[in-house]
Amino acid sequence: MKKILVTGGCGYIGAHTIIDLIENGFEVISADDLSRGYLRMLEGVEKITGKSVKNYKINLCDIEDTEALFIENPGITGIIHFAAFKSVPESVEQPLKYFRNNINSLVNVLQCAQEHHINHFVFSSSCSVYGNPKELPVVETTPFTEPESPYARTKQMGEAICRDFARQLRKFNVTLLRYFNPVGAHPSALIGELQEKPENLVPMITQTAIGKRREMQVFGNDYDTRDGSCVRDYVHVMDIANAHTKALQNMLDGKNSNKCEIFNLGTGNGVTVLELIEAFEKASGEKLNYKIGPRRPGDVVAVYANNNKAHDQLSWSPQYDLHQMMDTAWRWELTMKKEAEKIQLN
Ligand code: WQD
């Protein structure tokens, strides 16, 4: 069984990806310092797959601790690198924290990959590398524009570091996966997105609908879009997860046509904020309490993917539609409410 290291394995996309890897026959270990992740995510993975996944609680910015993990785990065949800070507003307030964490951790993991002859690397990138793209839908060769935040800058830099590293190391292959807007939860509702102080739209919607928040704001409805609200490409987290397994297998099978491959992971459908809210209300049966507020600085007006390359080269196609994205997100929120009530009763 091929052993895969997933960094950031206790995070939202990391944990969902571990499920897909296990279901596709991989052995998985996780490295996560739990600064943003939660061990309960791996508890959910075990309930769903029956497999217990070991997490190494280490700071990947510490080279000694990182190297110790690789020495303790010989035979790692591939690495999927999620571990990074990802809050856009926090990165604006503390850019150096983001550069130090997101870049140093990447460099350390790449150094260990080189020392331990691990030649298959998947890097968690983001549609935010495109900034405010001039052409839509964006293809992988769409030129970058100025990123909206230091977070997005670290993703642009991370891609460049991976590309240079692949060019330098003869056998090393890297795949850069540019996520659009991952949403939803595993259909079992046993794991999902944990955001105590949500910034992203869907956790904000579900927390408002469940009553954790009194109301939410739509950040602007005066944009040049079909209903005035921003357009995004929402994609189910399990579809994102499956793309990682496919990208890894593509390299293991030697089918990557380039030592540094790039794929957009979106559905190709642009959906406005107001349309997403409507889809949520239909899926949940709940009326959402929201009001139209001012625009949020740094917001991209519209971005959505051309995903033909992932479809053609990875045989990847999103399986979950908008209704299922909203239904699973809502059922996960209901699960969290029941768990909170159970704790109160005990
Ligand atoms: C989506 C839309 C908001 C909250 C995210 C991540 C970024 C990257 C891409 C990983 C925007 C609107 C939101 C609210 C709202 N992911 N909104 N009211 O900004 O596209 O970026 O996905 O790499 O890290 O942050 O996602 O969910 O924050 O916003 O109206 O309370 O929802 O204005 O138009 P975004 P988001």
Side-chain angles (χ1 to χ4, degrees):
M1 203 187 277
K2 291 188 170 59
K3 185 191 273 191
I4 305 300
L5 167 64
V6 173
T7 73
C10 297
Y12 173 46
I13 304 174
H16 285 83
T17 297
I18 289 176
I19 292 170
D20 199 84
L21 286 168
I22 290 170
E23 289 176 349
N24 282 280
F26 289 97
E27 180 193 349
V28 181
I29 56 170
S30 166
D32 195 309
D33 65 3
L34 303 181
S35 62
R36 306 291 163 94
Y38 300 86
L39 266 184
R40 70 164 282 178
M41 298 299 271
L42 294 186
E43 291 159 15
V45 168
E46 185 167 3
K47 283 183 199 157
I48 294 162
T49 65
K51 297 273 189 201
S52 159
V53 174
K54 180 174 173 58
N55 179 61
Y56 290 81
K57 187 175 180 294
I58 57 168
N59 180 352
L60 296 170
C61 292
D62 180 316
I63 187 63
E64 282 77 30
D65 288 354
T66 306
E67 280 179 337
L69 179 151
F70 285 86
I71 291 164
E72 191 179 321
N73 289 280
I76 291 173
T77 308
I79 298 169
I80 302 182
H81 183 59
F82 290 103
F85 293 156
K86 60 144 270 185
S87 164
V88 168
E90 183 186 40
S91 77
V92 171
E93 284 156 31
Q94 304 180 68
L96 297 184
K97 176 186 177 125
Y98 270 65
F99 293 129
R100 180 175 297 112
N101 182 70
N102 291 6
I103 301 307
N104 288 0
S105 53
L106 170 62
V107 169
N108 284 348
V109 175
L110 287 173
Q111 177 180 320
C112 291
Q114 181 173 10
E115 287 165 359
H116 294 267
H117 311 294
I118 299 166
N119 294 315
H120 307 291
F121 194 88
V122 178
F123 177 67
S124 166
S125 190
S126 163
C127 64
S128 52
V129 299
Y130 294 112
N132 245 312
K134 299 208 175 11
E135 65 180 45
L136 286 174
V138 288
V139 291
E140 287 80 357
T141 51
T142 295
F144 289 177
T145 66
E146 191 60 13
E148 70 197 40
S149 66
Y151 156 78
R153 176 80 71 193
T154 66
K155 289 302 181 184
Q156 289 185 344
M157 293 163 71
E159 289 198 2
I161 289 166
C162 289
R163 192 179 1 263
D164 286 351
F165 192 66
R167 198 177 288 143
Q168 181 237 339
L169 274 192
R170 194 171 53 81
K171 286 187 180 170
F172 188 78
N173 295 288
V174 62
T175 301
L176 312 177
L177 296 181
R178 292 176 182 165
Y179 317 150
F180 282 69
N181 287 55
V183 296
H186 188 268
S188 67
L190 290 171
I191 68 168
E193 191 165 10
L194 281 172
Q195 274 198 6
E196 264 133 36
K197 284 190 294 120
E199 290 155 5
N200 295 128
L201 178 60
V202 172
M204 192 60 89
I205 288 174
T206 58
Q207 289 194 15
T208 302
I210 202 99
K212 281 181 186 168
R213 302 176 164 278
R214 202 175 52 75
E215 74 172 5
M216 64 162 284
Q217 285 194 40
V218 170
F219 296 140
N221 68 344
D222 57 352
Y223 287 99
D224 181 17
T225 64
R226 52 182 175 266
D227 63 16
S229 62
C230 292
V231 175
R232 293 289 183 277
D233 185 332
Y234 298 96
V235 49
H236 195 280
V237 64
M238 285 313 293
D239 283 323
I240 294 277
N242 184 246
H244 286 74
T245 305
K246 286 188 160 70
L248 190 63
Q249 198 60 58
N250 189 54
M251 290 189 286
L252 291 171
D253 297 344
K255 290 182 181 161
N256 51 308
S257 50
N258 192 314
K259 281 165 66 54
C260 178
E261 285 284 16
I262 305 171
F263 295 100
N264 282 338
L265 298 185
T267 62
N269 305 317
V271 171
T272 73
V273 175
L274 293 171
E275 287 165 349
L276 189 103
I277 289 175
E278 191 184 346
F280 172 78
E281 291 181 329
K282 278 205 186 95
S284 64
E286 301 286 331
K287 187 87 187 80
L288 189 69
N289 184 18
Y290 70 90
K291 68 178 184 185
I292 305 293
R295 293 182 174 190
R296 180 173 68 174
D299 262 341
V300 168
V301 182
V303 61
Y304 53 94
N306 173 315
N307 64 7
N308 293 342
K309 189 179 172 192
H311 186 273
D312 298 344
Q313 293 189 25
L314 298 180
S315 307
W316 178 77
S317 57
Q319 301 299 306
Y320 292 80
D321 63 19
L322 202 59
H323 177 86
Q324 290 166 310
M325 292 180 214
M326 295 299 100
D327 171 59
T328 54
W330 178 234
R331 287 194 292 110
W332 165 241
E333 191 66 60
L334 290 169
T335 299
M336 286 193 280
K337 183 177 183 188
K338 277 194 210 101
E339 283 180 1
E341 286 164 350
K342 225 186 286 175
I343 293 166
Q344 275 168 356
L345 287 174
N346 295 346

